[in-house]
Amino acid sequence: MPDLTRDRREMLARMTPVPDPETYHFCVTRDPDLAARVAPVALATFREAEGFTLVLTETEAARFGFDTGLPMTRIMLSVFSALDGVGLTAGVATALAEAGIPCNMIAAYHHDHVFVPREMAGHALALLRATQAAAR
């Protein structure tokens, strides 16, 4: 296991954003049977009181009949940040928000993942790289 980073500035300096060429969609269903069928092909799932959120590729979202009106690009932050590290999400979200770019963050065990509207992905990637450089 690589060294985990907890310091905000160090996390931003080491985040190295990596774009995923796949297009994703945040999908939702209240049907637990549908959620169970879709879950094996989902990048991520989350259960809320209102239903099941499933992050699916465009192909899988269309195959299961979900809305594909908001295509998203995933940008993985390759830093190994500790689960109790403070400030990476805030730093990334703030940089994007100041440029008017919406983002959805998913923090997994090894990496954080930023989802932005596909048409804004190039600009978002450039801003994240600039944020990384400024933190160095």
Side-chain angles (χ1 to χ4, degrees), residues 32-45:
D33 294 328
L34 177 57
R37 286 195 318 273
V38 176
V41 298
L43 176 66
T45 64

Side-chain angles (χ1 to χ4, degrees), residues 15-19 73 75 77 92 95-96 99 101 116 120-134:
M15 70 180 174
T16 308
V18 178
T73 294
I75 302 171
L77 305 179
V92 167
L96 295 174
I101 299 174
V116 298
M120 297 177 165
H123 188 202
L125 188 60
L127 284 170
L128 293 176
R129 289 178 176 154
T131 299
Q132 179 188 22

Side-chain angles (χ1 to χ4, degrees), residues 2-88:
D3 289 332
L4 297 178
T5 304
R6 287 180 174 79
D7 176 74
R8 178 184 184 273
R9 186 179 193 124
E10 187 177 346
M11 286 187 289
L12 291 169
R14 296 166 109 190
M15 70 180 174
T16 308
V18 178
D20 182 337
E22 188 67 66
T23 297
Y24 292 94
H25 294 274
F26 280 69
C27 305
V28 65
T29 183
R30 293 186 61 90
D31 180 345
D33 294 328
L34 177 57
R37 286 195 318 273
V38 176
V41 298
L43 176 66
T45 64
F46 200 89
R47 182 176 53 206
E48 299 178 283
E50 299 83 1
F52 299 88
T53 298
L54 305 129
V55 181
L56 303 172
T57 64
E58 188 156 71
T59 300
E60 295 298 339
R63 180 167 75 99
F64 284 100
F66 289 106
D67 178 14
T68 57
L70 182 57
M72 306 286 277
T73 294
R74 174 175 69 135
I75 302 171
M76 183 189 74
L77 305 179
S78 66
V79 63
F80 286 97
S81 58
L83 292 175
D84 60 352
V86 176
L88 177 62

